[in-house]
Amino acid sequence: MDFELRSAREKLEREQRERKERAKLKLEREKKAKEAAIKQREAIEASQRVRRLDAIEAQIKADQHMQETLIAGGGIVFEQVFQAVPFQGIGDKIKLPPSCFTELSDQGAFDKGPLYFELSVVDNTDNKKTTHSGVLEFTADDATVGLPPHVWSNLFSMHGLMDVPLVQIRYIRLPKGSYAKLQPDNLGFSDLPNHKAILETILRQHATLSLDDVLSVNYGQVSYKLQVLELKPASSISVLETDIEVDIVSPDIVSDQPNQHVLRPLQFGKSESGTVEEGRYDYYKFVIDEGTVEKVVAGNMKVIVKIDVEKDGADTDLYVSKHPVLFPSLNQHEWSSHDVGSKTLILGSKERALSSGTYSIGVYGFKGTVKYQVSVLVQESIDGAKVGERTLSSSSDVDTVECRNCKHSIPSRSIALHEAYCSRHNVVCNHHGCGIVLRVEEAKNHLHCEKCGQALQPTEMEKHLKVFHEPLTCGCGVVLEKEQMVQHQARDCPLRLIACRFCGDMVEAGNSAADARDRMRGMSEHESTCGSRTAPCDSCGRSVMLKDMDIHQIAVHGKSS
């Protein structure tokens, strides 16, 4: 009996403990659930507060951006994102879709003067490149913008290739520029004749300039990159219808590449040493003044350009040109020498192209790495007989007979002895047009080129064929041999440099003028375009195209140019 009561009591106590534990666990679960619900409610409320704050901040930013856009656009709001598409144009003027014309026109943008736009790359980075541009035309496809090479390279130089390049475009008003500081990427730009006038020509193709933009300047086959370091009165300016003071500063870092287009100065009578690798050029420049030219033309002096090669087996070529041809080469030069080893060019009174000015020397590494010394000398001309001096004898004073072997006139009293000696020791070259008399032992070294007939030594034949008869390709696509190529690039090539009769700059001639009347007046493509600019007539003040100014003066004012 006692055992049963004890068992029942223990069972009751055990059940009571279990009920207490279950109740305690339940209370803990309810407490945790309440705490979790409170935390969740607080998190939701915090998230809602953040979203409300973000919305308020975004609205503030949108309002600020709208205000900035209104201020930047002078009350005109235009901001859209387009897919960028490149096109081959010049300058910084872009192509927009026709819908943009309507949107801008409705807001009166065209009444406020030239259109300017701020362009920025759309990406996920904080370092977004920005530049500015004008507008060329409204003919682009919908949702696209056409970018010329200048704008494309400045926008995407830091981004590389993108699958779908997106550009945000915003209408903006820009102040007229008053000052610009530019820095070339390397030496040589200051060697260009009148380089500031060349820059002026380049800037005529632009509507804007932006800080850190890079301008490309092409001069013939040579290209220079100029970075915009400073602008006034703002970091982005308009260059339309304004006078800008331009400073050109020296590059910070000079490239050590051996084929840089840099003209090193030469002084008369002082040689300069150099080393040129095969297939590369070294360039020098020297100046001939008016007094020296007069003496050379009179036959009293001559200008000598000389190269001494220090290494056997290596060889160079020598090219000389007068500015504006800055960098003479195999294709483009005025004078050249292709002798094997050391070589000399003599500019004397017979050179019609000789005049005062700056000349360039191109030393080309034809074979191997060559160490050389180049020099320019001015020497007095020494003729065989002075003016007024009587010669000792002439063919009319002595009875002569023509030698049957060498065809020279020989005194008749010694003709038999001469012919006997001449027939044994001398031979005459039978090549058409040659007829040179050679020693028998020299005849085997006297050869003629099968293509042009020039007389050469055997050691010169290989170089002659390579230089004069291998086809050369001009930058315009024409393929010619060396002599024809030099004439082509001097007279016919659309890439040749000419002095424009209207702007005075050295520019590429281009193709024939599109206008038949301009072609009849001998204008190049550039001159036809450049001459279409108007200027006020000095006599009546009317605006007349530059290319029609002479006709206007004759027809209206009776003045002949």
Side-chain angles (χ1 to χ4, degrees), residues 40-50 52:
Q40 184 177 7
R41 184 168 60 253
E42 290 176 348
I44 293 173
E45 291 176 353
S47 176
Q48 290 175 346
R49 284 196 301 271
V50 169
R52 285 196 297 270

Side-chain angles (χ1 to χ4, degrees), residues 340 436 438 441-449 454-464:
V340 176
I436 189 173
L438 301 163
E441 59 271 15
E442 296 174 350
K444 61 182 179 181
N445 293 326
H446 180 76
L447 305 175
H448 285 271
C449 175
Q454 182 175 339
L456 301 162
Q457 296 288 321
T459 55
E460 299 174 332
M461 182 62 72
E462 180 183 357
K463 182 175 183 178
H464 172 82

Side-chain angles (χ1 to χ4, degrees), residues 382-394 397:
I382 302 176
D383 296 332
K386 296 181 180 179
V387 178
E389 180 180 333
R390 186 175 180 180
T391 56
L392 295 177
S393 63
S394 66
D397 299 330

Side-chain angles (χ1 to χ4, degrees), residues 236-309:
S236 301
I237 59 173
S238 166
V239 297
L240 297 178
E241 300 177 356
T242 183
D243 293 328
I244 299 179
E245 179 187 354
V246 178
D247 278 346
I248 307 295
V249 299
S250 300
D252 292 333
I253 301 175
V254 179
S255 173
D256 57 357
Q257 296 181 8
N259 196 25
Q260 286 296 313
H261 288 83
V262 178
L263 296 173
R264 287 174 274 183
L266 275 179
Q267 296 180 0
F268 285 111
K270 183 179 179 181
S271 62
E272 292 286 342
S273 300
T275 302
V276 61
E277 298 178 2
E278 182 174 335
R280 296 184 179 275
Y281 286 90
D282 281 352
Y283 291 106
Y284 298 86
K285 65 179 178 179
F286 64 95
V287 178
I288 301 179
D289 57 33
E290 188 65 39
T292 302
V293 171
E294 291 177 357
K295 294 177 181 179
V296 172
V297 172
N300 299 326
M301 302 185 76
K302 56 187 176 183
V303 178
I304 300 174
V305 182
K306 187 177 181 181
I307 288 185
D308 294 319
V309 178

Side-chain angles (χ1 to χ4, degrees), residues 82-109:
F82 298 95
Q83 179 181 346
V85 177
F87 77 93
Q88 292 303 314
I90 58 176
D92 66 346
K93 298 180 178 64
I94 62 176
K95 294 181 179 180
L96 290 171
S99 58
C100 298
F101 177 88
T102 304
E103 185 173 346
L104 289 166
S105 179
D106 290 344
Q107 298 185 63

Side-chain angles (χ1 to χ4, degrees), residues 50-64:
V50 169
R51 284 199 295 269
R52 285 196 297 270
L53 290 174
D54 289 343
I56 294 172
E57 185 177 355
Q59 184 63 41
I60 292 173
K61 288 183 177 180
D63 293 341
Q64 289 177 346

